[in-house]
Amino acid sequence: MGADQAWILVALPAAAFVVLALCGRWLPRQGDVLAVLAIGASLVLYFFVLHDFLHQRDGLVNSHEYWSIAMHHTWSNVGNFNLNFGTYVDPLSAVMVGVVTIAGTLITIFSIGYMKGEVRYWWFFAVLMGFIAAKLMLVLSDNLLLLYFAWEGVGVCSFLLIGFYWEKRSAAEAAKKAFITTRIGDVGLLIGIILLWKATGTFNIQDILTAATTGQIGHVYLFVSLMFIFLGAMGKSALFPFHVWLPDAMEGPTPVSALIHAATMVVAGVYLIARLLPAFEVVPASLLVVTIVGLVTAILTGFMALATTDIKKVLAYSTIGQLGFMYIALGCSHPDAAIMHLMTHAFFKSLLFLAAGSVIIGTHHNQDMKQLGGLWRKMPITAVTFLIGSLALAAVPPFSGFWSKDEIFHGTTAWNGGWVTFLLGFAAVLTALYTTRLFVRTFLGKPQDQAVYDNAHETGPVMVLPLIILALITCVAGFTVFNGVGRAMGFPGGFTEFVFLHEPERFVMNWSWAAASAVIAFGGVFLAGWIYWGNRITISTRLADWQPGVYNMLVNKFYFDDLYQAGIDRGLLGFSYVVSWFDRYVVNDTGVDGVADTTRYSGSILKYVQTGKVPAYALGIALGAVGLAIAGLVVRG
Amino acid sequence: MALTVLVFLPAVVAAIILLTPKAYESYARWTALAGAVAVFGLALGIFFSLDLSKGGYQFTVTKDWVDIGSFNLQYHLGVDGISMPLVMLTAVLTVAAVLVSFGIKERQRAYFACLLTLTTSVLGVFCALDTMLFFLFWELELFPMFLLIAVWGSGRREYAATKFIIYTFAGSAFMLVGILILAFNANTFDIAVLQNTTFHDTVLPLRWVFLFLLIGFAVKLPMVPFHTWAPDAYSSAPTAVSVLLAGIFEVMGGYGIIRLCVSILPGVAQDYSIWFAAIGAGGLLYCAFITFRQTDIKKLVAYLSVSQMGLVLLGISALGQTGLVGATYQLVAHGIITAMLFVMVGLLVERTGTKEIAKMGGLARQMPLLACGLGFAGFASLGLPSLAGFIAEFTVFLGSFQRYEWAVLMAIFGAVLSAGYILWMLQRVIFGPIRHDAETDALPDQRHWWEHSAVAGMAAIIILLGVYPALLTDMIGPAVSTIMTRVGS
């Protein structure tokens, strides 16, 4: 199978979605095997695609041209634009497809254990397949319109997954919130697409990039359209100020959180910006915006994660924070660093979420770290894998997160003055702090709730196996940055020599940078360890008591939820009340019924004129004639 | 000839139903279904034998009908790429309406006869190529519609029916004046001839003629501020009738604007296009805000429906190829999607016995299939890509963006609002904790094949139109081009 048949990777899970959605409940085992087979087949075929892709690349191994394999097919003509189905395989999409299929397969297998015995078991797998299919189409699409189809498909599947337990009001609310918040961003993306179409007359991404880089689009116009597109990315990635939906989205089953937060949905925005980065480069101001939004997000969510005790919500905040890191890298024109961090993050965060899921199942649905602690002895495999994930998240060498975060640090030198590097370092310390806090309070120390601790147990093999595989990947994924490792795997070189914007860069170990970032990571880890493992937790409670306002602000996500809620209640619904009042009482009751009533009323009065007596009519005629005569005289003068 | 059979077949079936003795009352629905399916089959045959390479009218039938001096009334039928999809829509929705009415108990013969008479009148409107014939068909639907709302409806049905009929009649009166002035100017009622005539101001300035025609259609569309009859009528009408009101009658208004106002008086349309954009986008937002405050689920869907018809006006406002294709596509997509929404909501109301959203909640447990259908129709209505609504919406946006960016931005903001009110409605009605009280526990999970087949069929069409728009656009495109050559923009 060649790389131009990459659409089959999308078609398999899509077909599984259709079959499962229509008749999943009647299949043996409610069709979970079918789901695993479909995504597994996609994974296997992905390696064929990758092999063929790298093979074709061999022909031009010495020229550092950006290369790609495209396939496209027009299927409908509407007005004066076409709907095209096209796939575009280049290093960027190859990496993305790899991340989605590998993580997707492991998460699907894990779900068999996690979702066992749930109601609507088949429906979960159906939507999971729909989600993966949409996400694969998103990264393979060669035009913005198809990308938008997939983008919204991802959105609606996430709505269904987050709202999986719709009997719970909070889950239904969270699903609605996620969809509407991202929808606001999506509308921005749609406007951006329309603007770019107006300027270039095409939806094809490569044609648009060519037009942008050759200066066919005015800079201000381009800036505006790119900002609209960035709005879409912000919504999907839950960047500040759209960050409110993601913690609530934890209402969904845990594998969903892994899928949405780690590998797929939230990084769609990173992919989109990385894909359009050549256009962003034309207008440096747009890169500055991306960097600043990334920085603000990374730092704010770091603080919020420190004040949260729900383990899944800590992971949710850390996801947003790591996405902030990726956007910073993109803002520095380093898609290689961003995509590498995306890749490593996808694996270690999937690992952390699945391990958290394992904790939740093992402790019979307990996910508040106030009631956990000391689980190390009860769930050794989960604990070890969680530790590996945490170290990677805290960017401790030699785990994968270290290498990718190091690349991002490198990249920030593009902005003069070092302010980006400084703030990024601060965010990295926060990351190490809250990650260590999470691990220590869950697995180490004394059990906080003896009953929970006594009933805890390790989970079954179908759940532990994906954890082990992901842990292994997390240990080694970072080494792909080295030239030798990449070559040994058949790539043209290390990660940055495979995915790049202009020129491939060979990774060279810069010891001072590495030392600095290692110090940051260890510093955060030790600080948190000193506080939380060393039974100095009172320090943090004293801090909270010292400035309760600040603490409450963190717990309440900087009051953004309340702000938005007030905006909806007072602003939107209030305005709607005024409009509907106007419509009912002014337009309808006064305008429409008023006319009817006036007619009826005047009829009821005028009917008395119709007396049926000739003298009365004659009198009327006479009076009328006299009146007219007088009026005529008056008018004539 | 085929068109004559198509248009009058439902009326003939209606007559047969009325003439059958009362003893066979229960067969009325089967006769009606057979008639509707026959109409659908015939329409499908015409649909696929239409020559796509031509933009003009096909399957034409011309007969002299009434001769009055210098000009005569003709019996002139024909379809082109704009009316054919709408004929198809009518055929589909007639089948659906008959199917969802299978549970009707009261006066079945009269009910189905009225329903089929409506079909004849609507098909007549879409096929008529003579303005007088157009007007006659246009008026033909009023009486059966009045009966359907007033006799089989619920709530304030007399008020709603009366308001509907007076409002529509008032609109039609203006339209008739417009039609007559055009006819006196050109000495013909023939639409094909009128479309190639250049008009000048005579008794009344042309813009008045345009306005008169427009008022008739605006009431039907319904265009803000002539919309207030709609929520009352939709809310009071029985399920199948609200399906037809939203799915076909609104579409008739949009069709009239394209067929008569824009095609015959393109110059005036060009001058006043900004008003189309303003009223389209403004009305869309205005009704979207009102939708948020609705507590009656049928009224909520009614306002939603009015809101989304704003897109049709917006599409027309650009007076360009893309915009008009989008507007026509929106007519079809909106017709089928809103019809499905009304089917789902109507069934929900019949089952629960209340229209109050506050009294619903957690219904997905008791009625999973209904909930799925409502969710599907809801997402189609908020413009989810790969469903019919998105193609229409997006085409309208692209078409109008060339000319009125601000209006498109307003309409896109409306798309956010629509996601808001639809998801909020879904959340309150089908999601959330299951209510356990005497009322909801007694709810039967009735499953009837007729409802299922209607819903499944509509869902399939919505998906088909969403992923393969060429099915219609290849037809609409050439027909719109012929109008465009006249508009000259």
Side-chain angles (χ1 to χ4, degrees):
Chain A
M1 196 179 100
D4 50 346
Q5 276 141 358
W7 60 271
I8 297 176
L9 300 182
V10 183
L12 285 172
F17 161 68
V18 173
V19 172
L20 284 172
L22 291 180
C23 48
R25 76 169 80 187
W26 298 289
L27 292 174
R29 291 185 55 90
Q30 300 200 11
D32 57 355
V33 182
L34 182 72
V36 173
L37 281 179
I39 179 69
S42 271
L43 175 60
V44 172
L45 290 177
Y46 163 67
F47 287 110
F48 282 94
V49 169
L50 187 66
H51 177 261
D52 179 65
F53 177 64
L54 291 171
H55 181 71
Q56 297 200 21
R57 153 78 181 163
D58 282 347
L60 17 110
V61 72
N62 288 324
S63 65
H64 286 303
E65 283 169 7
Y66 214 77
W67 78 105
S68 62
I69 294 168
M71 180 283 283
H72 100 190
H73 167 66
T74 301
W75 97 87
S76 276
N77 173 281
V78 185
N80 52 0
F81 69 94
N82 288 324
L83 294 180
N84 292 319
F85 180 83
T87 58
Y88 184 79
V89 182
D90 71 342
L92 181 59
S93 47
V95 170
M96 294 297 297
V97 173
V99 168
V100 175
T101 48
I102 295 171
T105 308
L106 293 172
I107 289 164
T108 312
I109 294 173
F110 181 87
S111 308
I112 295 177
Y114 189 88
M115 299 303 289
K116 199 167 170 182
E118 295 279 352
V119 286
R120 302 186 291 275
Y121 182 74
W122 56 279
W123 175 242
F124 178 81
F125 283 95
V127 185
L128 202 63
M129 286 301 111
F131 187 94
I132 292 174
K135 178 67 202 192
L136 286 174
M137 187 158 104
L138 197 158
V139 294
L140 280 170
S141 160
D142 76 334
N143 66 74
L144 286 174
L145 191 54
L146 188 65
L147 183 141
Y148 187 77
F149 270 66
W151 187 272
E152 290 285 286
V154 167
V156 73
C157 287
S158 84
F159 168 81
L160 294 172
L161 286 171
I162 295 169
F164 185 74
Y165 300 118
W166 47 256
E167 292 94 341
K168 269 165 68 187
R169 184 165 297 276
S170 54
E173 290 272 358
K176 183 187 69 178
K177 187 171 173 184
F179 191 85
I180 295 177
T181 314
T182 50
R183 175 91 177 173
I184 294 170
D186 294 353
V187 159
L189 174 62
L190 190 66
I191 297 174
I193 292 174
I194 294 177
L195 283 170
L196 287 178
W197 178 81
K198 194 184 175 192
T200 61
T202 176
F203 293 116
N204 187 294
I205 295 171
Q206 300 307 317
D207 294 348
I208 290 172
L209 291 182
T210 314
T213 44
T214 51
Q216 290 170 37
I217 310 176
H219 277 203
V220 176
Y221 188 92
L222 186 62
F223 178 74
V224 172
S225 8
L226 290 177
M227 283 303 104
F228 273 116
I229 284 182
F230 184 52
L231 207 60
M234 286 164 71
K236 266 297 190 260
S237 296
L239 292 189
F240 177 85
F242 291 94
H243 61 277
V244 290
W245 69 265
L246 208 108
D248 290 23
M250 292 297 136
E251 289 290 341
T254 302
V256 169
S257 316
L259 197 65
I260 290 177
H261 295 82
T264 47
M265 178 159 163
V266 289
V267 297
V270 179
Y271 166 78
L272 178 66
I273 305 302
R275 175 59 82 207
L276 296 175
L277 206 56
F280 277 82
E281 281 213 308
V282 177
V283 207
S286 62
L287 288 177
L288 185 65
V289 174
V290 173
T291 312
I292 290 174
V293 170
L295 271 175
V296 171
T297 308
I299 292 172
L300 289 189
T301 53
F303 281 119
M304 286 188 265
L306 272 175
T308 309
T309 54
D310 181 314
I311 53 177
K312 279 178 76 182
K313 286 198 176 167
V314 174
L315 291 177
Y317 285 125
S318 87
T319 305
I320 312 179
Q322 299 306 303
L323 286 164
F325 281 68
M326 295 176 211
Y327 280 96
I328 295 167
L330 288 173
C332 304
S333 301
H334 270 282
D336 44 352
I339 298 300
M340 180 159 175
H341 197 57
L342 186 159
M343 188 262 294
T344 57
H345 171 259
F347 292 122
F348 68 69
K349 193 53 68 63
S350 299
L351 170 63
L352 282 169
F353 269 113
L354 294 189
S358 180
V359 169
I360 293 170
I361 291 285
T363 60
H364 305 281
H365 294 274
N366 220 311
Q367 55 189 70
D368 194 329
M369 56 173 91
K370 282 184 198 150
Q371 269 139 35
L372 301 172
L375 289 175
W376 178 267
R377 284 176 292 275
K378 288 281 187 166
M379 324 179 66
I381 306 178
T382 306
V384 171
T385 48
F386 201 105
L387 176 64
I388 292 172
S390 303
L391 292 177
L393 175 58
V396 171
F399 296 98
S400 55
F402 168 75
W403 303 103
S404 49
K405 214 171 269 180
D406 193 45
E407 279 295 305
I408 296 179
F409 271 112
H410 253 297
T412 53
T413 46
W415 294 108
N416 291 329
W419 57 279
V420 178
T421 319
F422 176 75
L423 291 173
L424 183 69
F426 182 60
V429 173
L430 285 176
T431 311
L433 259 174
Y434 66 69
T435 312
T436 316
R437 167 176 176 266
L438 171 64
F439 181 76
V440 170
R441 293 193 65 178
T442 309
F443 289 99
L444 303 179
K446 273 193 289 262
Q448 303 291 312
D449 187 328
Q450 199 60 35
V452 171
Y453 177 77
D454 289 343
N455 290 322
H457 60 84
E458 185 60 276
T459 47
V462 76
M463 294 173 72
V464 169
L465 185 72
L467 291 183
I468 296 173
I469 298 176
L470 280 170
L472 289 177
I473 298 178
T474 301
C475 289
V476 301
F479 301 125
T480 50
V481 77
F482 292 108
N483 181 280
V485 176
R487 278 189 182 283
M489 289 164 65
F491 289 93
F495 196 93
T496 50
E497 290 166 88
F498 184 56
V499 179
F500 52 84
L501 188 59
H502 301 298
E503 284 293 313
E505 275 176 64
R506 178 163 299 191
F507 176 75
V508 191
M509 195 72 186
N510 185 328
W511 291 104
S512 49
W513 274 111
S517 62
V519 164
I520 286 174
F522 279 118
V525 169
F526 283 127
L527 182 60
W530 182 74
I531 295 176
Y532 295 103
W533 202 6
N535 280 327
R536 292 180 191 86
I537 201 162
T538 44
I539 293 181
S540 69
T541 41
R542 249 186 287 144
L543 271 178
D545 290 340
W546 175 52
Q547 282 293 345
V550 175
Y551 178 72
N552 285 334
M553 191 168 79
L554 297 181
V555 171
N556 291 310
K557 309 172 206 168
F558 293 92
Y559 297 108
F560 269 97
D561 269 327
D562 306 78
L563 182 71
Y564 293 155
Q565 196 60 47
I568 292 170
D569 290 346
R570 306 262 162 73
L572 179 64
L573 292 182
F575 184 65
S576 301
Y577 178 77
V578 174
V579 175
S580 54
W581 181 88
F582 176 81
D583 189 61
R584 197 51 1 198
Y585 294 104
V586 178
V587 179
N588 187 59
D589 289 1
T590 312
V592 179
D593 287 0
V595 170
D597 290 343
T598 314
T599 314
R600 194 181 305 144
Y601 181 67
S602 44
S604 71
I605 292 186
L606 285 175
K607 75 182 174 194
Y608 297 113
V609 182
Q610 308 296 327
T611 54
K613 288 176 183 147
V614 178
Y617 293 151
L619 181 63
I621 294 169
L623 284 178
V626 172
L628 277 177
I630 292 170
L633 283 175
V634 172
V635 172
R636 278 222 192 139
Chain B
M1 195 55 207
L3 282 185
T4 309
V5 176
L6 179 75
V7 170
F8 290 101
L9 184 62
V12 172
V13 177
I16 294 172
I17 291 174
L18 277 183
L19 291 176
T20 43
K22 190 169 171 54
Y24 299 103
E25 177 110 6
S26 57
Y27 291 99
R29 56 187 196 172
W30 290 102
T31 321
L33 182 62
V37 170
V39 169
F40 174 70
L42 192 57
L44 205 63
I46 298 174
F47 183 84
F48 283 112
S49 43
L50 204 71
D51 186 350
L52 295 183
S53 56
K54 286 188 217 151
Y57 299 104
Q58 298 175 40
F59 291 99
T60 46
V61 191
T62 320
K63 284 234 161 31
D64 282 345
W65 185 25
V66 185
D67 204 344
I68 355 171
S70 58
F71 53 89
N72 55 358
L73 300 182
Q74 283 181 317
Y75 173 75
H76 190 179
L77 299 183
V79 286
D80 69 348
I82 294 176
S83 49
M84 192 63 231
L86 305 180
V87 168
M88 208 57 232
L89 174 75
T90 313
V92 168
L93 291 187
T94 306
V95 177
V98 170
L99 279 175
V100 290
S101 313
F102 254 48
I104 288 270
K105 297 281 185 299
E106 234 186 310
R107 296 182 233 221
Q108 293 182 22
R109 287 176 305 164
Y111 177 85
F112 285 107
C114 283
L115 215 56
L116 289 172
T117 316
L118 279 184
T119 309
T120 285
S121 91
V122 176
L123 288 174
V125 166
F126 290 144
C127 294
L129 288 184
D130 181 279
T131 45
M132 215 54 217
L133 194 63
F134 177 93
F135 184 75
L136 291 179
F137 278 123
W138 184 272
E139 295 296 281
L140 178 63
E141 46 81 13
L142 287 181
F143 188 58
M145 188 52 106
F146 176 77
L147 289 182
L148 282 170
I149 299 176
V151 177
W152 288 273
S154 59
R156 296 171 75 192
R157 55 192 184 188
E158 284 87 5
Y159 168 75
T162 312
K163 193 165 162 186
F164 162 77
I165 204 149
I166 292 180
Y167 225 132
T168 323
F169 243 132
S172 310
F174 283 104
M175 189 169 91
L176 182 62
V177 175
I179 287 176
L180 289 176
I181 295 174
L182 286 183
F184 288 133
N185 270 338
N187 280 335
T188 179
F189 286 106
D190 193 315
I191 291 180
V193 179
L194 287 171
Q195 282 174 344
N196 291 316
T197 312
T198 311
F199 289 92
H200 302 287
D201 294 356
T202 46
V203 198
L204 280 175
L206 270 186
R207 60 173 187 278
W208 285 96
V209 180
F210 187 87
L211 190 67
F212 284 164
L213 286 174
L214 186 65
I215 288 176
F217 302 129
V219 168
K220 209 62 149 202
L221 193 60
M223 184 168 101
V224 175
F226 305 110
H227 64 284
T228 57
W229 63 268
D232 289 313
Y234 294 8
S235 173
S236 303
T239 305
V241 178
S242 36
V243 167
L244 292 182
L245 271 171
I248 307 181
F249 281 62
E250 295 189 350
V251 167
M252 279 164 65
Y255 171 75
I257 295 178
I258 296 176
R259 178 64 85 218
L260 296 186
C261 296
V262 174
S263 311
I264 296 180
L265 298 169
V268 188
Q270 196 67 271
D271 293 344
Y272 290 89
S273 69
I274 191 164
W275 288 99
F276 278 92
I279 295 176
L284 191 149
L285 282 183
Y286 177 79
C287 287
F289 282 118
I290 299 174
T291 311
F292 273 104
R293 299 301 303 201
Q294 297 307 307
T295 51
D296 170 332
I297 189 167
K298 283 189 108 173
K299 283 196 176 162
L300 188 147
V301 180
Y303 273 111
L304 172 160
S305 164
V306 177
S307 168
Q308 303 199 341
M309 281 312 271
L311 283 177
V312 174
L313 289 177
L314 184 61
I316 293 173
S317 73
L319 289 172
Q321 176 84 15
T322 314
L324 273 181
V325 170
T328 314
Y329 209 92
Q330 169 69 5
L331 289 178
V332 181
H334 174 269
I336 189 101
I337 292 171
T338 321
M340 185 166 169
L341 263 179
F342 269 111
V343 169
M344 304 323 303
V345 166
L347 294 179
L348 214 58
V349 170
E350 282 169 24
R351 298 273 203 284
T352 58
T354 178
K355 292 177 195 166
E356 288 296 313
I357 295 177
K359 291 189 180 166
M360 303 177 179
L363 290 175
R365 176 64 93 188
Q366 279 113 340
M367 317 167 182
L369 290 167
L370 265 184
C372 272
L374 187 63
F376 179 87
F379 274 104
S381 177
L382 63 82
L384 190 75
S386 76
L387 299 180
F390 175 74
I391 301 282
E393 193 181 281
F394 189 66
T395 316
V396 166
F397 290 162
L398 280 189
S400 310
F401 200 77
Q402 311 279 13
R403 195 156 168 173
Y404 301 113
E405 289 97 340
W406 51 270
V408 172
L409 291 179
M410 279 166 75
I412 292 183
F413 177 62
V416 177
L417 293 182
S418 75
Y421 57 66
I422 288 172
L423 289 187
W424 194 31
M425 183 267 282
L426 288 180
Q427 192 211 343
R428 287 180 293 170
V429 173
I430 61 177
F431 297 137
I434 302 156
R435 291 158 29 96
H436 285 293
D437 49 39
E439 242 176 274
T440 45
D441 283 350
L443 289 180
D445 180 19
Q446 295 157 320
R447 299 179 179 197
H448 299 300
W449 64 268
W450 56 79
E451 290 160 2
H452 287 184
S453 46
V455 170
M458 288 165 133
I461 294 171
I462 291 173
I463 294 174
L464 179 69
L465 292 183
V467 296
Y468 189 63
L471 189 66
L472 296 187
T473 48
D474 284 352
M475 192 174 271
I476 301 171
V480 167
S481 319
T482 52
I483 298 180
M484 280 305 109
T485 51
R486 282 264 295 151
V487 178
S489 70

